[in-house]
């Protein structure tokens, strides 16, 4: 589910290249997890369900409705189809930032999956390198980008797709974090990204700044415990 998106399309390509039968499902293929249309047909004969879908709206009520309705639809259909492994992509820090409507919705999604009775793997990823520019746009005040003075450990979306391709063909592994190899203040990643494109905005780190309306706690956006660390370094990704 979400098979036409950034991570989903890359995952489908990797699985097919490895000889697996991967079926991309999304509204563009006639599969709607909110209404249930096409879901049963998409899951017919499936051994593994991978959910990398996302809400079309990030408004608090809309995103909560999307993830709860969609996940209930998928859990019911997966049980009926005899799915043996439910794989979902989530976000590091999901359960530590309750002021974020989006992360509250992802927490609700995780809870529905873990309570489903279906063996599962939930991969909590840090923010993608590809999301750094939108982070800057969301934190722009005039000609300045004002960001929380928080540690950041972003990851390449392609590396997440590669990890998911391994998870899909392996045994259910519960919940774990995944991050890129480089950890430093958020402002440094954003500043380097803007500089690489000649963007003249000034990047400032502030302890009072919020991240999409949420005050960050120490370590909110970096992995905890034994996280999987992916290979692509930020500087190499930026240079490419």
């Amino acid at each position: 589910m979400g098979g036409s998106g950034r991570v989903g399309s890359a995952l489908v390509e990797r699985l097919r290249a490895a000889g697996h039968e991967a079926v991309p499902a999304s509204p563009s293929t006639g599969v709607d997890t909110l209404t249930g249309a096409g879901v049963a047909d998409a899951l017919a004969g499936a051994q593994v369900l991978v959910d990398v879908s996302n809400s079309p709206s990030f408004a608090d009520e809309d995103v909560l409705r999307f993830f709860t309705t969609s996940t209930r639809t998928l859990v019911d259909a997966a049980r009926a189809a005899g799915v043996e492994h439910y794989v979902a992509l989530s976000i590091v820090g999901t359960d530590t930032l309750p002021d974020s409507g989006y992360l509250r919705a992802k927490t609700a999604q995780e809870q529905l999956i873990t309570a489903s009775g279906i063996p599962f793997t939930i991969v909590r990823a840090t923010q993608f390198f590809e999301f750094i520019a939108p982070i800057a746009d969301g934190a722009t005040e005039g000609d300045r980008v004002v960001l929380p003075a928080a540690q950041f450990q972003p990851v390449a979306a392609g590396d997440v797709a590669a990890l998911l391709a391994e998870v899909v063909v392996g045994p259910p592994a519960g919940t774990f974090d995944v991050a890129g190899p480089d950890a430093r203040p958020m402002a440094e990643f954003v500043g380097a990204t803007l500089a690489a494109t000649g963007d003249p905005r000034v990047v400032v780190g502030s302890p009072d700044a919020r991240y999409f309306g949420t005050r960050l706690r120490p370590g909110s956006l970096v992995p905890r415990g034994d996280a999987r660390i992916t290979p692509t370094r930020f500087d190499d990704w930026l240079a490419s």
Side-chain angles (χ1 to χ4, degrees):
M1 300 298 166
S4 60
R6 183 192 302 275
V7 172
S9 58
L11 175 59
V12 166
E13 184 177 340
R14 284 180 173 274
L15 291 172
R16 286 177 172 172
H20 303 289
E21 182 181 358
V23 179
S26 65
S28 64
T29 68
V31 180
D32 189 332
T33 55
L34 294 179
T35 66
V39 173
D41 288 342
L43 283 175
Q47 294 167 290
V48 183
L49 164 63
V50 186
D51 185 3
V52 292
S53 62
N54 207 355
S55 174
S57 167
F58 288 1
D60 286 1
E61 291 185 5
D62 292 343
V63 73
L64 181 61
R65 184 180 307 111
F66 174 83
F67 280 115
T68 53
T69 302
S70 174
T71 306
R72 288 190 182 105
T73 299
L74 291 176
V75 165
D76 289 345
R79 285 198 195 107
V83 166
E84 301 165 11
H85 188 185
Y86 194 132
V87 177
L89 180 62
S90 192
I91 303 171
V92 165
T94 291
D95 55 350
T96 66
L97 297 171
D99 291 341
S100 165
Y102 187 87
L103 293 184
R104 287 199 302 273
K106 292 297 288 185
T107 297
Q109 177 194 30
E110 290 188 7
Q111 290 170 343
L112 289 167
I113 294 169
T114 57
S116 69
I118 303 169
F120 69 90
T121 303
I122 296 173
V123 178
R124 288 179 171 175
T126 53
Q127 287 68 27
F128 296 159
F129 294 157
E130 293 84 351
F131 191 52
I132 292 175
I135 288 173
D137 295 340
T140 295
E141 301 174 5
D143 61 353
R144 302 199 315 160
V145 181
V146 183
L147 297 163
Q151 283 292 101
F152 204 51
Q153 196 170 339
V155 65
D159 282 357
V160 173
L163 175 64
L164 286 172
E166 296 176 9
V167 168
V168 165
V169 298
T175 301
F176 65 85
D177 291 352
V178 58
D182 304 306
R184 47 187 187 258
M186 184 187 298
E188 292 189 19
F189 286 102
V190 173
T193 300
L194 297 184
T197 59
D199 192 309
R201 284 177 287 178
V202 176
V203 180
V204 178
S206 168
D208 297 322
R210 291 177 177 264
Y211 179 72
F212 293 101
T214 300
R215 189 177 297 279
L216 297 179
R217 299 184 179 93
S220 294
L221 300 180
V222 294
R224 295 171 288 175
D226 294 328
R228 310 278 183 93
I229 303 301
T230 57
T232 303
R233 306 201 74 87
F234 173 71
D235 291 344
D236 293 335
W237 174 85
L238 195 60
S240 69

